[in-house]
PDB file of all heavy atoms in Angstrom:
ATOM      1  N   GLY A  28       8.164  18.114   3.459  1.00 94.00           N
ATOM      2  CA  GLY A  28       7.694  17.133   2.518  1.00 94.00           C
ATOM      3  C   GLY A  28       8.822  16.540   1.704  1.00 94.00           C
ATOM      4  O   GLY A  28       8.860  15.327   1.462  1.00 94.00           O
ATOM      5  N   HIS A  29       9.769  17.411   1.346  1.00 88.00           N
ATOM      6  CA  HIS A  29      10.957  16.889   0.681  1.00 88.00           C
ATOM      7  C   HIS A  29      11.730  15.943   1.609  1.00 88.00           C
ATOM      8  O   HIS A  29      12.184  14.916   1.218  1.00 88.00           O
ATOM      9  CB  HIS A  29      11.860  18.057   0.217  1.00 88.00           C
ATOM     10  CG  HIS A  29      13.174  17.579  -0.288  1.00 88.00           C
ATOM     11  ND1 HIS A  29      13.350  17.007  -1.505  1.00 88.00           N
ATOM     12  CD2 HIS A  29      14.388  17.540   0.298  1.00 88.00           C
ATOM     13  CE1 HIS A  29      14.593  16.629  -1.661  1.00 88.00           C
ATOM     14  NE2 HIS A  29      15.259  16.966  -0.596  1.00 88.00           N
ATOM     15  N   GLY A  30      11.825  16.410   2.859  1.00 88.00           N
ATOM     16  CA  GLY A  30      12.469  15.524   3.858  1.00 88.00           C
ATOM     17  C   GLY A  30      11.742  14.213   4.023  1.00 88.00           C
ATOM     18  O   GLY A  30      12.411  13.163   4.160  1.00 88.00           O
ATOM     19  N   ALA A  31      10.450  14.192   3.971  1.00 93.00           N
ATOM     20  CA  ALA A  31       9.659  12.940   4.088  1.00 93.00           C
ATOM     21  C   ALA A  31       9.998  11.986   2.947  1.00 93.00           C
ATOM     22  O   ALA A  31      10.155  10.804   3.135  1.00 93.00           O
ATOM     23  CB  ALA A  31       8.192  13.259   4.155  1.00 93.00           C
ATOM     24  N   LEU A  32      10.137  12.545   1.747  1.00 93.00           N
ATOM     25  CA  LEU A  32      10.495  11.738   0.569  1.00 93.00           C
ATOM     26  C   LEU A  32      11.911  11.157   0.739  1.00 93.00           C
ATOM     27  O   LEU A  32      12.154   9.991   0.411  1.00 93.00           O
ATOM     28  CB  LEU A  32      10.401  12.532  -0.683  1.00 93.00           C
ATOM     29  CG  LEU A  32       8.993  12.898  -1.172  1.00 93.00           C
ATOM     30  CD1 LEU A  32       9.095  13.805  -2.380  1.00 93.00           C
ATOM     31  CD2 LEU A  32       8.220  11.615  -1.491  1.00 93.00           C
ATOM     32  N   ARG A  33      12.843  11.969   1.248  1.00 88.00           N
ATOM     33  CA  ARG A  33      14.206  11.492   1.431  1.00 88.00           C
ATOM     34  C   ARG A  33      14.215  10.396   2.546  1.00 88.00           C
ATOM     35  O   ARG A  33      14.871   9.333   2.381  1.00 88.00           O
ATOM     36  CB  ARG A  33      15.146  12.611   1.817  1.00 88.00           C
ATOM     37  CG  ARG A  33      15.483  13.448   0.629  1.00 88.00           C
ATOM     38  CD  ARG A  33      16.480  14.536   0.970  1.00 88.00           C
ATOM     39  NE  ARG A  33      17.800  14.081   1.389  1.00 88.00           N
ATOM     40  CZ  ARG A  33      18.751  13.721   0.613  1.00 88.00           C
ATOM     41  NH1 ARG A  33      18.633  13.783  -0.699  1.00 88.00           N
ATOM     42  NH2 ARG A  33      19.903  13.262   1.112  1.00 88.00           N
ATOM     43  N   PHE A  34      13.552  10.637   3.660  1.00 90.00           N
ATOM     44  CA  PHE A  34      13.434   9.682   4.709  1.00 90.00           C
ATOM     45  C   PHE A  34      12.861   8.384   4.211  1.00 90.00           C
ATOM     46  O   PHE A  34      13.311   7.284   4.511  1.00 90.00           O
ATOM     47  CB  PHE A  34      12.650  10.222   5.869  1.00 90.00           C
ATOM     48  CG  PHE A  34      12.534   9.302   7.072  1.00 90.00           C
ATOM     49  CD1 PHE A  34      13.620   9.069   7.872  1.00 90.00           C
ATOM     50  CD2 PHE A  34      11.334   8.687   7.349  1.00 90.00           C
ATOM     51  CE1 PHE A  34      13.554   8.145   8.936  1.00 90.00           C
ATOM     52  CE2 PHE A  34      11.221   7.801   8.398  1.00 90.00           C
ATOM     53  CZ  PHE A  34      12.347   7.543   9.192  1.00 90.00           C
ATOM     54  N   ALA A  35      11.759   8.522   3.392  1.00 92.00           N
ATOM     55  CA  ALA A  35      11.119   7.309   2.818  1.00 92.00           C
ATOM     56  C   ALA A  35      12.098   6.506   2.039  1.00 92.00           C
ATOM     57  O   ALA A  35      12.105   5.270   2.054  1.00 92.00           O
ATOM     58  CB  ALA A  35       9.938   7.733   1.975  1.00 92.00           C
ATOM     59  N   TYR A  36      12.993   7.147   1.276  1.00 91.00           N
ATOM     60  CA  TYR A  36      13.985   6.412   0.444  1.00 91.00           C
ATOM     61  C   TYR A  36      14.990   5.754   1.337  1.00 91.00           C
ATOM     62  O   TYR A  36      15.292   4.552   1.139  1.00 91.00           O
ATOM     63  CB  TYR A  36      14.645   7.386  -0.549  1.00 91.00           C
ATOM     64  CG  TYR A  36      15.800   6.667  -1.290  1.00 91.00           C
ATOM     65  CD1 TYR A  36      15.534   5.765  -2.295  1.00 91.00           C
ATOM     66  CD2 TYR A  36      17.107   6.917  -0.909  1.00 91.00           C
ATOM     67  CE1 TYR A  36      16.524   5.136  -2.943  1.00 91.00           C
ATOM     68  CE2 TYR A  36      18.162   6.265  -1.559  1.00 91.00           C
ATOM     69  CZ  TYR A  36      17.877   5.340  -2.573  1.00 91.00           C
ATOM     70  OH  TYR A  36      18.899   4.702  -3.180  1.00 91.00           O
ATOM     71  N   TYR A  37      15.577   6.452   2.265  1.00 90.00           N
ATOM     72  CA  TYR A  37      16.676   5.965   3.060  1.00 90.00           C
ATOM     73  C   TYR A  37      16.253   5.020   4.185  1.00 90.00           C
ATOM     74  O   TYR A  37      17.071   4.249   4.667  1.00 90.00           O
ATOM     75  CB  TYR A  37      17.513   7.108   3.631  1.00 90.00           C
ATOM     76  CG  TYR A  37      18.347   7.775   2.620  1.00 90.00           C
ATOM     77  CD1 TYR A  37      18.009   9.047   2.134  1.00 90.00           C
ATOM     78  CD2 TYR A  37      19.496   7.152   2.076  1.00 90.00           C
ATOM     79  CE1 TYR A  37      18.805   9.685   1.135  1.00 90.00           C
ATOM     80  CE2 TYR A  37      20.268   7.764   1.079  1.00 90.00           C
ATOM     81  CZ  TYR A  37      19.920   9.066   0.628  1.00 90.00           C
ATOM     82  OH  TYR A  37      20.693   9.646  -0.316  1.00 90.00           O
ATOM     83  N   GLU A  38      15.031   5.070   4.604  1.00 92.00           N
ATOM     84  CA  GLU A  38      14.550   4.245   5.761  1.00 92.00           C
ATOM     85  C   GLU A  38      13.270   3.488   5.377  1.00 92.00           C
ATOM     86  O   GLU A  38      12.299   3.517   6.108  1.00 92.00           O
ATOM     87  CB  GLU A  38      14.290   5.158   6.988  1.00 92.00           C
ATOM     88  CG  GLU A  38      15.520   5.858   7.497  1.00 92.00           C
ATOM     89  CD  GLU A  38      16.529   4.933   8.090  1.00 92.00           C
ATOM     90  OE1 GLU A  38      16.155   3.816   8.598  1.00 92.00           O
ATOM     91  OE2 GLU A  38      17.716   5.278   8.084  1.00 92.00           O
TER      92      GLU A  38
END
Side-chain angles (χ1 to χ4, degrees):
H29 172 76
L32 289 174
R33 286 183 62 86
F34 181 71
Y36 173 76
Y37 286 107
E38 297 293 333

